[in-house]
């Protein structure tokens, strides 16, 4: 069985992928991963050895991301072409579809986007997501359902109409 240091290092590619999808830019994602690994390394003694380190690190990343979102920041834009996102190979429309999907993902509320990314991109179970974000599993399922429906509606070019019931 690998030691905790090796387990932490093995989680970095998934942390980077999730951070990139969550934050939207490479530099911000790398900063978030670095902060997550630094905090995880510093608190490695508090990690329960038999538990899933990936979920523990994602929980740290989630909390750091929330803290960073609350802090006021100066908007910046990369001036370097090397940091731009490469288009998907294939037909010219595949790049447009990728852009449309990214736009639809950014249009989701933060709490829905986080859950969608953890389940779809990181393949975490609902239970792991609930533990990572410290919310009930039912909340995970309802937010995921709404996120998927909003994404589907946006990608199909139709308006999303929330099925709300009037309660008197």
């Amino acid at each position: 069985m690998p030691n905790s240091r090796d387990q932490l290092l093995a989680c970095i590619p998934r942390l980077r992928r999730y951070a990139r999808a969550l934050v939207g830019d490479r530099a911000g994602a790398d900063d978030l991963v670095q902060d997550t690994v630094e905090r995880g390394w510093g608190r490695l003694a508090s990690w329960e050895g038999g538990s899933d380190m990936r979920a523990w690190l994602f929980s740290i990343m989630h909390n750091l991301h929330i803290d960073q979102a609350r802090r006021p920041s100066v908007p910046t834009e990369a001036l370097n072409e090397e940091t731009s996102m490469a288009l998907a190979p294939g037909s010219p429309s595949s790049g447009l579809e990728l852009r449309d999907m990214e736009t639809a993902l950014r249009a989701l509320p933060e709490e829905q986007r986080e859950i969608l990314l953890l389940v779809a991109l990181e393949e975490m179970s609902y239970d792991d997501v609930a533990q990572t974000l410290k919310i009930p599993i039912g909340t995970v399922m309802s937010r995921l359902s709404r996120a998927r429906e909003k994404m589907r509606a946006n990608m199909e070019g139709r308006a999303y109409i929330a099925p709300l019931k009037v309660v008197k």
Side-chain angles (χ1 to χ4, degrees):
M1 184 164 157
N3 64 30
S4 54
R5 176 189 171 275
D6 292 340
Q7 287 180 327
L8 188 139
L9 293 175
C11 292
I12 291 176
R14 287 182 158 222
L15 289 170
R16 289 190 77 214
R17 181 174 61 194
Y18 177 58
R20 179 74 189 267
L22 189 63
V23 175
D25 71 280
R26 183 175 292 150
D30 287 345
D31 289 344
L32 182 59
V33 170
Q34 181 177 348
D35 292 344
T36 301
V37 170
E38 179 182 2
R39 184 165 293 175
W41 184 257
R43 297 182 179 165
L44 205 51
S46 69
W47 173 63
E48 297 174 18
S51 65
D52 183 11
M53 182 174 281
R54 178 183 67 151
W56 181 69
L57 289 170
F58 275 95
S59 183
I60 291 171
M61 181 178 281
H62 167 74
N63 293 333
L64 284 169
H65 178 66
I66 294 298
D67 290 345
Q68 290 172 358
R70 289 180 182 156
R71 266 187 252 137
S73 65
V74 177
T76 61
E77 188 172 326
L79 300 176
N80 168 341
E81 290 182 3
E82 295 172 7
T83 60
S84 66
M85 190 166 81
L87 295 177
S91 69
S93 67
S94 64
L96 296 174
E97 290 169 4
L98 183 62
R99 187 194 67 207
D100 290 347
M101 185 177 300
E102 185 174 1
T103 301
L105 188 62
R106 293 272 162 243
L108 292 175
E110 179 79 21
E111 65 271 1
Q112 291 177 10
R113 183 171 61 240
E114 286 176 333
I115 291 172
L116 182 63
L117 291 171
L118 288 172
V119 170
L121 184 65
E122 295 303 326
E123 300 175 348
M124 290 177 75
S125 69
Y126 295 173
D127 190 46
D128 287 344
V129 172
Q131 288 176 4
T132 298
L133 301 179
K134 295 174 181 51
I135 57 175
I137 195 166
T139 303
V140 170
M141 293 188 295
S142 65
R143 287 180 183 174
L144 179 63
S145 175
R146 287 194 309 270
R148 285 177 171 162
E149 183 52 38
K150 285 179 184 177
M151 285 285 293
R152 191 175 300 115
N154 198 320
M155 294 300 292
E156 292 172 357
R158 60 183 170 82
Y160 172 74
I161 300 170
L164 295 178
K165 296 179 182 176
V166 177
V167 179
K168 293 184 179 185

